[in-house]
Amino acid sequence: MEEAVAELQQFLVPDARKDLKSAACMTTAQLTGTPEGLKLLSCRGDILCAVVRLVRDPETYTAKDAMRVLVNMSAEEEGATALLKLDGVEVVGKMVELVKDKEYAHADFACGVLANLSKRREHCQEVWKRVCDGPTKLEGLIHILCQIDYNKKGAKLHLLAPVITNFSQLPHGRRLMLDKESYVFQRLIPFMEYKESKGRRMSVIATVHNCCFDKEYHPWLLGDEVDLAPRLALPLAGPDTFTLEENESLPPDLQFLPDDKEREQDVEVRKLLLQALMQLCITRSGREVLRDQNLYLILREHHKWEEDRHCIMLNEDLVNLIVRTEQEIGEDDLSNVNVPEDLASKFVAEDEKYLAGGTEDLTTLQEEDTPDK
Amino acid sequence: MAEEWKEKVIEEKLGGKREWTEEERTELCHQLDQDLEHHIDNMTSTKYKDGWTEENWKEQMSEHPLFAPYVQEEGVTEGEAPINPLSEGLAQLKFDPEHNTPQEVAQNYKEEGILQFKYKKYRLAAANFSEGIKQKCPDGELNAQLYNNRAAANSHLGNYRSALKDCEKAFELKPDYMKAVSRAVECATKLKLWDDVFMWCDRGLKLDPGEQRLKQTRLTAVKEKKLQERDQRKKTQEEKRKESDEQSLLNTIQARGVRLGTTASKASMSITLSDLEPCHPAAQGSRVHINECNELVWPVMLLYPEYQETDIIQHFSENDRIIDQLEAVFGDNVPPAPWDQQHKYRLQNLHVFFEDRQRAKLCRVDAHVTLAQTLSDPRYQVMGGTPGLIILVEGKFMTNFMSKYTG
């Protein structure tokens, strides 16, 4: 196979005869479909560089196959490492350039490559660094993501969202995203209800969820400029069943919801939403905001509708914090509470038993849920 | 024309001579200078009498082509002031395409418009900018300014939609035109087109990411949009509720077996809300409705054919007995009606009927039954959403009246 691969190289150049170039690209793409082929290509930086140089080939099939190679390579750890190590071309910068190009027809593939490359922890930092060093930067990518119909050749760029999510796992990434001076984070929020693409919606919610883990940003997230809490509750809300007074006690986002309002269908996404709301309840001021906004009403109705055990549990934990008075809770900042080892493992065991369909009696869970000091 | 004039001068004044040496030219100039001085010396000096005086300067100024457009008489509205023929002439020269390039003309219109703008003559200003745009001169920057300026003028006139369109054109021609962006944001805000506000704020923030005012505007717009959407949802909900209530009312009426008659003939059998609108002025605003106990409450008309009088009971619950309601009108404690001269109409004397329109019969009603029972009588038809009951007392009139109906 090695000789065959070596032969390929001569045809993987922009000046090669069209049909040979196309065939060579296709063959390379097929190679990436097999583990041996992938392994082989990972050692051939020269071929990979050649492929990268063909992504803008005027022949559609050639360019598409070149992109396919990169997508498949980046999906595997070995391939990703190889791509990032390339000498002749800077693959991250190239992909960003393709995404930025409104007229590039295969931009969705480019997003896919970036998503794959940034997925693994060990690579994410490197990809992040290269994006920040480039001209577009995080802000540019988010701007592009948030513009519907940015790409004029039909690419939807939904896969750009998981790239952002991957970056949100880095503290530097979150810090840039949550910049109070610019208008970046707020652009993501409308996509939390984006019906057209489940992948985009999930990734955006995951990004928001990750950003809720930085306590120091809670006042800003819960404040006027972002007003995140009602938007986290909205996918959990169903059609309006409240009285006029109850409606008026809710934030405008949650008032008078139409009869055809659907709750988020995906269990994992609902978990993320509930966990994010939980995070916002870590501090006293956060809990007070959620109380003031009367989100309890939404959670109450959600509890009646929810069937997944894990989500029900998260809902109840959340309601627990909202419904109790501050005096009962006793602690301003719950992240400061130290739960002793033995109790911690006991709680985890109780949770697992419940999740496995164990006890239906939730009162025992409630009473012992209060952490000792 | 200039050419002809030149030829004429050469022929007449210079004797047709075309070739001149340097010395000959100098000699000629010198000669002409001398002639002029000679001429001036021979002029008699007169007192300067045509200048502006203390008394007439205002009038003179308003007629002078250079100043006329900017001095308006009091009470004259813009556009009605007589145009000074001299200023028209000047204007024609400035804007004449024969003497100027499209760019120069456009530039002149722009300046003219700006001047008008300064004097708050916004309609005139806009007209000038429009003329400038019509020149279709090749200068993109100038055209962008013309569009933006016209947008400003229109904005002051309250024509926010036109202004917004002009801002779009200006921005198209000049993608870094911050002024156009600011103006567009202002107009879109006035029109409450929040999505447009978002778009323009984003355009501005792209040009200048640190622009705090734009950011604030965008945040405000986000809030306004939320409120707008909320209001829309609330309205939709209220309309739906109203519709559902109305349907429920119609269903209940049909369920009770009440027949509604309409004055117009109808092809379909189903009843609509319009069939329930009371025609009688006294019953206006008392349309039949369902109360908290789930009972129908009707406006009922009592007719007294003997005296050609009527009464309206505005809230007659279907489960009330007729006699109980009549007691409130004719009971012992109630004084007789003003038309009841002979005091005959007392509760115990009353006979209650309704008219069977279809068979032209008079049907007797037992006053001890409820309204519901009466209305569900197959012969009973409710007209104009207002059930009627005929009240008579024993006597010549009643006998007469009853005989008019068959059987």
Side-chain angles (χ1 to χ4, degrees), chain A residues 8-29 46-70 89 94-95 98 104 106:
Chain A
L8 269 178
Q9 200 180 355
Q10 55 180 296
F11 301 119
L12 288 173
V13 284
D15 305 333
R17 214 176 81 184
K18 269 196 234 169
D19 53 342
L20 295 172
K21 196 177 16 164
S22 180
C25 257
M26 187 170 77
T27 313
T28 319
D46 48 352
I47 296 194
L48 294 176
C49 278
V51 166
V52 174
R53 290 197 193 96
L54 290 176
V55 294
R56 278 195 185 277
D57 196 274
E59 281 294 316
T60 311
Y61 288 112
T62 309
K64 249 181 153 166
D65 278 332
M67 287 306 294
R68 280 209 183 92
V69 169
L70 298 177
V89 287
K94 187 75 190 166
M95 294 300 113
L98 295 175
Y104 185 65
H106 317 300

Side-chain angles (χ1 to χ4, degrees), chain A residues 52-101:
Chain A
V52 174
R53 290 197 193 96
L54 290 176
V55 294
R56 278 195 185 277
D57 196 274
E59 281 294 316
T60 311
Y61 288 112
T62 309
K64 249 181 153 166
D65 278 332
M67 287 306 294
R68 280 209 183 92
V69 169
L70 298 177
V71 169
N72 290 350
M73 291 298 293
S74 57
E76 299 301 321
E77 183 172 346
E78 217 179 332
T81 313
L83 284 173
L84 287 171
K85 249 188 0 205
L86 286 181
D87 226 344
V89 287
E90 203 287 87
V91 66
V92 171
K94 187 75 190 166
M95 294 300 113
V96 171
E97 176 206 306
L98 295 175
V99 167
K100 187 156 181 216
D101 185 349

Side-chain angles (χ1 to χ4, degrees), chain B residues 63-80:
Chain B
E63 284 175 26
H64 195 292
L66 220 54
F67 301 106
Y70 312 113
V71 181
Q72 296 286 23
E73 296 154 29
E74 259 130 49
V76 176
T77 53
E78 184 194 297
E80 281 176 19

